[in-house]
Amino acid sequence: MNDKTLFGLKEMGPACRPALLRQLREMLPDECVIADEAALRAYETDALTAYRQPPMLAVLPETTAQVAAVLKLCRELDVKVVPRGAGTSLSGGALPLADGIVLGLGKFNKILEVDFDNRCVVAQSGVTNLALTEAVQPRGYYYAPDPSSQIVCTIGGNVSENSGGVHCLKYGLTTNNLLGLEMVTMDGEILRLGGKYLDPAGYDLLGIVTGSEGLLGVITEVTVRIIRAPQTAKAMLLGFPDNERAGQCVANIISAGIIPAGIEMMDEFAIKAAEDFAHAGYPTDCPALVLTELDGPEGEVSELIEQVRTIAAGCQASFIKVSASEQERERIWAGRKAAFPALGDISPDYYCMDGTIPRRELAHVLTRIRELSNHYGLRVANVFHAGDGNLHPLILFDANDKEQLEKAEEFGADILRLCVAVGGVLSGEHGIGIEKKDLMPVMFNEADLQQQQRIKCVFDPAGLLNPGKVFPVLHRCAELGKLHVHKGNIPFPEIPRF
Amino acid sequence: MNNEHFSPELEQQALELVQWSVAEGKTLAIRGTNTKQGFGLPIKADCVLTMWRLAGICEYHPEELVMVALPGTPLAEIRQELTRHNQHLAFEPPSLNRLYRSDEEGTLGGVFMGNLAGPRRFKAGSARDHILGVRAINGRGELWKSGGKVIKNVSGYDMSKLLTGSWGTLSVVTELSFKVLPAPPVSRSLAVWGLSPRLGLALLAQVASTPCEASGLAYLPAAALAAIAQNDMSLKDEALTLIRMEGTEVSVAERVQAIHQWLPPACQHNLLEQAESALAWSWVCDAAPLFDEQRTPIILKISMPPADAWNLIRFIDELRGCLWYLDAAGGWLWVGICQVSGADKLHALIREVRAAAGSATLYRAPLPVKQSAGIYCFADESVKRLNEKIKHSFDPSNLFNPGRLGLN
């Protein structure tokens, strides 16, 4: 069964291209419609580069009204639409379709309002994550979620993926920092959800749209909460003889009532790669490293640093270092942020996984990953958002070797199955996209998936918006809407009554 | 109407009951201990499904910041268990039983179905920011689940958030997992007396804009304070501006000290230690100034851009006959309207909230007022329509708490 029969679409696809192109050119300025094959190559992939597919066409609208007009037209012509921010998705969320258009939001790049009185920023969805912080930094504010791609990734993409970052343990994910948004549905209807206030009326529509991976609507504007930068922040490096004791230290810090601004873990392989690459001052003779940051009022930070030092010593830390200056703090983080490119330096390709586990399973999971690494004959480095249990095993391979690519994907899938088996989940922050959709049944049964798809049907009954992502199979809405009534066996005599 | 009550002890029993109600077309009023029945329009249902027997803490991992519990678990039990590990529900759920004149203690399910939150809302979020996963039964009689038992998860749509705040109209929840956090060891408040609303609001805005990390910022005019019947503090007959600081001893002391520089000259103030501070914030949290239904039969909770609070307050004072107080760093305005025939004032106020691009929820009102004003002040019709479609997607036959939210 191909996509077309799944969605009950007319056999249009590329056949409707000339008509679509003509009408798009009528509604948008020339430079906003891309039809040239070479130019379309720029959109053929996102940050999950193993998958490539040039779109039928790409459009770059400049206004919300244009987005609405494009979506309305595509709805009428049954043309699929893949929304795209900066194309930094690690799960293939912005991978184009041969018979669909890419709707790029690159021209939605303006910050519309910086409102210090209401402690929020209103921005178009194509504004980068970092630009939000830069806009408010002069007055001592910042936007808290900081995914590692923050220099380029867009706030609209952050909303679609519910992005996190190293500070989300203390300051929350995108969903906890979003106040409002403007979005356009596949019917071309413009919706405004929330605003500059805390609690919108009715069901939590902001909550369901955040993290919906571009399947429910095209986000054109956001309102985000900004917070005051902490008075001070200090980073600590803690080296341990093994992963078990490093994990125990993290658990003990949190049990002691301390929520660090960030707490990361790296294994030996990742430590060495990062240190060789960034010279961050990491101890290369430690099998496990915990990197943590404490922020807040100065007195509090000093107090907490001492507490953490004691806890780490109690877990046999062989190395303890506190950043003595802002430069040193930044250098410590630079090492962590360099972990990915560092591995890119020593291997032609790497595949970044993103499962979350209960932290108590850490030692078991890392041992099992090592066994799988031997089994597949592929090296793996582990970096880990230790506070919230979000694992990022990086599988090293050579994509030119087809066998290695397949093995890397199998290895990755095994890791994610393992995460679910120990009580965790498939994705902590990168999303399901195209990459993990076939694994969704590992975590969810048919009833769970159908309930999610009914939400898709509320927003996009024709299934035209970013189809082929998140769900292994997208059911027809008419089928999902049917009510199956099982008459008969009722009695439940054992249910207590008053 | 045959109001038969069912009280399942197991998820499977709840499932069978819902399957029966689907087959027979029987509507259900879904409850915990019925402490918030006053919220929303009256539910006209064939049967009552009470969830209080489906109770108990299933999993608690303090070092993972995760708890899993059944919906009928008394909130008191959750609090007690968390306290044993120096943790708490950071969103500070209020007890609304006094507001709705119930003697019972609320349940965990009620906290999440109402998306409750207290004064820490502007800093720590509400119940929806802490929900991690659910198991639930939809209006087709199907058991489904979403989310997980870890604190970071983007696998599939965030369905748990949709249920949070749905007041039992989308599914019957049978299990909840949620985030818990360390409780601050020290909690202290600065009580500043006698400031005019304008000065009080300015002080709240000032403190909110510093890195002092206040965890509570409220303003109660003298009239609101006077309406609090139970108080163990020798209350002055003056407006109260409350500023709460939480954290370690050294840190709280430092920050409380720092606030003094922003106090208006010669204002009276004193420090409320742990117990006194907790008491004062419980009034703000539980809406104590509005308990008396005779006095304020209509309650509207407004959520607005903090900078619009001043204009709204002036508007309310011009309406006369209203009791109000401000919470959540100026983001929430609780308004009690002091006569049964206050419908005109309510409508005027709702228009004003719309103009300020805010939102409002009717917490209490006589039936005709609820019917004419609706429970929610939706920003526009398209958002309301979307709410109705979502209700239909979960509960196509409108079996669960029919009519409660006034959605068709």
Side-chain angles (χ1 to χ4, degrees):
Chain A
M1 195 161 42
N2 65 28
D3 277 358
K4 288 223 168 55
T5 53
L6 269 176
F7 305 125
L9 298 186
K10 287 173 243 165
E11 278 297 333
M12 296 199 77
C16 73
R17 192 176 185 270
L20 178 66
L21 184 57
R22 192 183 63 246
Q23 293 191 57
L24 286 171
R25 286 202 164 129
E26 277 166 22
M27 62 176 61
L28 298 173
D30 282 354
E31 69 275 16
C32 297
V33 181
I34 296 162
D36 175 64
E37 208 176 309
L40 285 173
R41 287 268 161 213
Y43 298 93
E44 69 179 2
T45 189
D46 53 18
L48 185 72
T49 50
Y51 295 80
R52 283 171 199 274
Q53 170 62 58
M56 174 165 69
L57 294 169
V59 295
L60 304 169
E62 292 171 320
T63 65
T64 301
Q66 288 174 353
V67 172
V70 168
L71 290 175
K72 209 160 169 234
L73 175 66
C74 290
R75 175 81 160 96
E76 279 164 19
L77 296 178
D78 274 332
V79 172
K80 297 167 192 168
V81 177
V82 176
R84 182 184 177 100
T88 56
S89 169
L90 288 160
S91 56
L95 181 76
L97 295 161
D99 57 350
I101 67 163
V102 160
L103 194 161
L105 290 143
K107 291 181 189 276
F108 280 68
N109 56 4
K110 287 170 206 68
I111 290 180
L112 303 173
E113 192 188 352
V114 176
D115 184 348
F116 289 109
D117 287 343
N118 290 312
R119 302 180 287 277
C120 64
V121 172
V122 184
Q124 289 185 315
S125 58
V127 169
T128 64
N129 172 293
L130 190 62
L132 295 172
T133 287
E134 283 172 349
V136 298
Q137 220 162 24
R139 291 265 299 260
Y141 284 82
Y142 75 116
Y143 173 65
D146 57 344
S148 52
S149 54
Q150 69 178 149
I151 304 169
V152 279
C153 67
T154 65
I155 185 64
N158 288 180
V159 172
S160 294
E161 300 293 329
N162 191 17
S163 306
V166 292
H167 289 102
C168 64
L169 177 67
K170 183 167 177 184
Y171 296 104
L173 301 155
T174 305
T175 191
N176 312 110
N177 290 279
L178 181 71
L179 292 171
L181 56 82
E182 178 192 74
M183 64 183 265
V184 188
T185 66
M186 195 61 218
D187 290 333
E189 187 177 26
I190 299 165
L191 291 172
R192 292 197 76 90
L193 307 177
K196 293 179 180 178
Y197 56 93
L198 294 170
D199 296 303
Y203 300 133
D204 190 358
L205 300 178
L206 279 177
I208 196 73
V209 169
T210 307
S212 64
E213 305 200 21
L215 271 75
L216 301 184
V218 175
I219 295 158
T220 47
E221 185 193 299
V222 301
T223 303
V224 295
R225 187 167 84 107
I226 50 170
I227 54 178
R228 274 302 299 254
Q231 241 173 31
T232 187
K234 281 193 173 155
M236 290 180 88
L237 278 176
L238 311 166
F240 294 92
D242 52 44
N243 290 319
E244 283 77 1
R245 273 171 277 203
Q248 192 55 51
C249 178
V250 175
N252 291 357
I253 289 172
I254 291 172
S255 295
I258 301 168
I259 299 292
I263 185 159
E264 302 284 306
M265 240 178 96
M266 295 165 84
D267 71 2
E268 195 166 8
F269 190 6
I271 298 165
K272 283 186 178 142
E275 180 58 23
D276 286 348
F277 188 85
H279 310 293
Y282 292 178
T284 48
D285 54 347
C286 285
L289 188 67
V290 170
L291 199 168
T292 185
E293 180 163 297
L294 297 151
D295 71 358
E298 278 183 32
E300 182 167 320
V301 171
S302 317
E303 221 176 325
L304 296 181
I305 294 263
E306 286 319 303
Q307 279 188 44
V308 170
R309 194 192 288 277
T310 309
I311 291 167
C315 296
Q316 273 93 53
S318 53
F319 180 92
I320 299 179
K321 185 174 173 184
V322 183
S323 65
S325 65
E326 189 55 18
Q327 290 92 318
E328 192 171 15
R329 185 185 74 86
E330 280 169 10
R331 199 163 66 237
I332 285 173
W333 280 111
R336 165 62 183 85
K337 284 177 183 166
F340 289 22
L343 290 158
D345 238 23
I346 56 177
S347 167
D349 297 278
Y350 65 85
Y351 185 31
C352 176
M353 305 311 298
D354 170 50
T356 303
I357 57 165
R359 203 183 328 96
R360 60 188 177 276
E361 298 288 346
L362 178 66
H364 165 66
V365 168
L366 291 181
T367 305
R368 187 74 193 111
I369 288 178
R370 214 173 300 137
E371 288 166 10
L372 287 166
S373 167
N374 291 335
H375 171 76
Y376 285 104
L378 295 174
R379 289 183 298 171
V380 63
N382 285 291
V383 279
F384 182 42
H385 299 306
D388 42 36
N390 188 193
L391 287 177
H392 288 318
L394 297 152
I395 301 168
L396 307 191
F397 71 105
D398 181 354
N400 290 322
D401 180 344
K402 194 161 174 294
E403 198 188 339
Q404 275 203 23
L405 172 63
E406 278 167 18
K407 274 188 180 174
E409 287 188 329
E410 276 173 48
F411 185 3
D414 280 351
I415 292 175
L416 295 181
R417 283 192 200 97
L418 173 63
C419 290
V420 175
V422 300
V425 300
L426 291 172
S427 177
E429 58 182 357
H430 296 171
I432 300 298
I434 195 127
E435 180 204 17
K436 288 174 283 239
K437 64 172 186 161
D438 291 332
L439 290 171
M440 284 287 270
V442 175
M443 197 172 147
F444 298 112
N445 65 26
E446 196 53 30
D448 307 335
L449 291 171
Q450 285 190 5
Q451 195 59 45
Q452 294 190 33
Q453 289 191 26
R454 288 193 186 103
I455 297 299
K456 169 74 170 164
C457 292
V458 165
F459 285 84
D460 174 25
L464 292 172
L465 204 51
N466 215 7
K469 314 285 165 66
V470 183
F471 300 109
V473 178
L474 203 53
H475 293 285
R476 283 166 192 256
C477 292
E479 189 186 314
L480 289 170
K482 275 185 205 146
L483 186 62
H484 303 279
V485 176
H486 310 282
K487 280 239 179 204
N489 51 339
I490 313 305
F492 45 84
E494 69 280 14
I495 300 181
R497 290 154 162 88
F498 275 80
Chain B
M1 194 171 288
N2 170 22
N3 250 257
E4 198 168 4
H5 282 56
F6 297 98
S7 185
E9 288 171 311
L10 302 167
E11 182 181 72
Q12 180 60 28
Q13 292 172 341
L15 179 63
E16 284 170 19
L17 183 87
V18 173
Q19 285 171 345
W20 167 79
S21 82
V22 174
E24 299 293 319
K26 299 279 190 193
T27 52
L28 300 172
I30 303 155
R31 293 177 183 166
T33 42
N34 211 20
T35 55
K36 292 179 270 292
Q37 66 158 338
F39 184 89
L41 288 154
I43 300 161
K44 292 199 183 90
D46 300 322
C47 306
V48 175
L49 171 56
T50 59
M51 302 300 287
W52 65 271
R53 283 186 214 259
L54 199 64
I57 295 169
C58 315
E59 290 180 46
Y60 176 30
H61 307 284
E63 74 292 349
E64 309 255 3
L65 308 174
V66 174
M67 185 182 264
V68 184
L70 302 180
T73 316
L75 186 55
E77 185 182 330
I78 303 275
R79 285 195 168 123
Q80 201 178 358
E81 185 58 19
L82 289 171
T83 304
R84 289 194 334 120
H85 295 269
N86 299 319
Q87 294 193 329
H88 70 162
L89 296 172
F91 58 97
E92 213 175 356
S95 298
L96 296 181
N97 47 356
R98 294 285 302 277
L99 205 66
Y100 292 125
R101 293 196 296 174
S102 161
D103 298 328
E104 300 285 335
E105 169 75 37
T107 62
L108 181 72
V111 166
F112 281 94
M113 289 308 98
N115 187 25
L116 300 189
R120 226 178 264 117
R121 173 68 180 90
F122 66 100
K123 187 164 186 275
S126 62
R128 58 87 72 184
D129 294 288
H130 297 256
I131 187 85
L132 299 174
V134 293
R135 288 172 66 85
I137 304 161
N138 66 17
R140 298 161 188 274
E142 298 160 349
L143 182 67
W144 63 278
K145 65 178 179 300
S146 170
K149 297 173 181 177
V150 289
I151 58 176
K152 199 166 169 199
N153 176 14
V154 295
S155 315
Y157 295 157
D158 202 345
M159 307 289 283
S160 319
K161 283 206 172 52
L162 264 187
L163 290 208
T164 307
S166 67
W167 293 96
T169 60
L170 298 181
S171 282
V172 177
V173 172
T174 56
E175 185 188 278
L176 299 135
S177 52
F178 48 98
K179 186 175 175 180
V180 295
L181 283 165
V186 176
S187 179
R188 230 173 257 157
S189 297
L190 196 65
V192 186
W193 300 95
L195 298 185
S196 68
R198 182 192 272 279
L199 283 178
L201 261 63
L203 179 58
L204 297 186
Q206 174 68 55
V207 176
S209 71
T210 69
C212 270
E213 298 186 17
S215 67
L217 289 167
Y219 177 86
L220 294 91
L225 219 53
I228 300 169
Q230 41 87 263
N231 73 74
D232 302 333
M233 282 200 302
S234 49
L235 285 183
K236 302 188 174 87
D237 189 17
E238 287 176 308
L240 171 62
T241 309
L242 268 176
I243 301 168
R244 181 171 64 183
M245 296 293 177
E246 295 176 304
T248 61
E249 176 67 50
V250 174
S251 162
V252 169
E254 257 180 28
R255 288 181 284 149
V256 167
Q257 195 50 42
I259 295 171
H260 284 82
Q261 62 185 296
W262 296 298
L263 298 183
C267 70
Q268 288 186 48
H269 57 83
N270 60 300
L271 195 63
L272 307 181
E273 293 295 337
Q274 204 89 3
E276 273 187 330
S277 173
L279 176 67
W281 282 104
S282 76
W283 301 334
V284 176
C285 187
D286 301 346
L290 308 175
F291 281 166
D292 186 351
E293 192 163 2
Q294 302 294 323
R295 191 188 167 110
T296 49
I298 300 173
I299 300 176
L300 188 71
K301 184 182 180 187
I302 301 169
S303 187
M304 74 265 149
D308 287 318
W310 173 239
N311 280 337
L312 273 169
I313 287 166
R314 280 197 309 186
F315 183 82
I316 290 165
D317 281 342
E318 278 166 22
L319 281 178
R320 296 183 178 281
C322 299
L323 200 61
W324 60 269
Y325 73 95
L326 202 68
D327 190 13
W332 278 349
L333 185 58
W334 286 89
V335 186
I337 302 178
C338 303
Q339 69 228 52
V340 179
S341 59
D344 291 346
K345 288 179 185 172
L346 178 68
H347 285 285
L349 193 50
I350 288 174
R351 276 196 300 276
E352 202 63 17
V353 172
R354 283 222 169 88
S359 152
T361 305
L362 193 56
Y363 266 66
R364 184 167 75 196
L367 182 57
V369 177
K370 281 184 179 174
Q371 284 166 333
S372 70
I375 301 305
Y376 292 125
C377 160
F378 283 107
D380 58 50
E381 275 305 304
S382 56
V383 172
K384 187 178 180 200
R385 239 182 358 258
L386 199 52
N387 271 267
E388 289 171 347
K389 283 189 195 168
I390 284 178
K391 162 74 176 166
H392 188 79
S393 75
F394 280 88
D395 179 21
S397 308
N398 198 17
L399 300 175
F400 299 153
N401 285 346
R404 187 175 202 182
L405 301 180
L407 298 170
N408 293 313

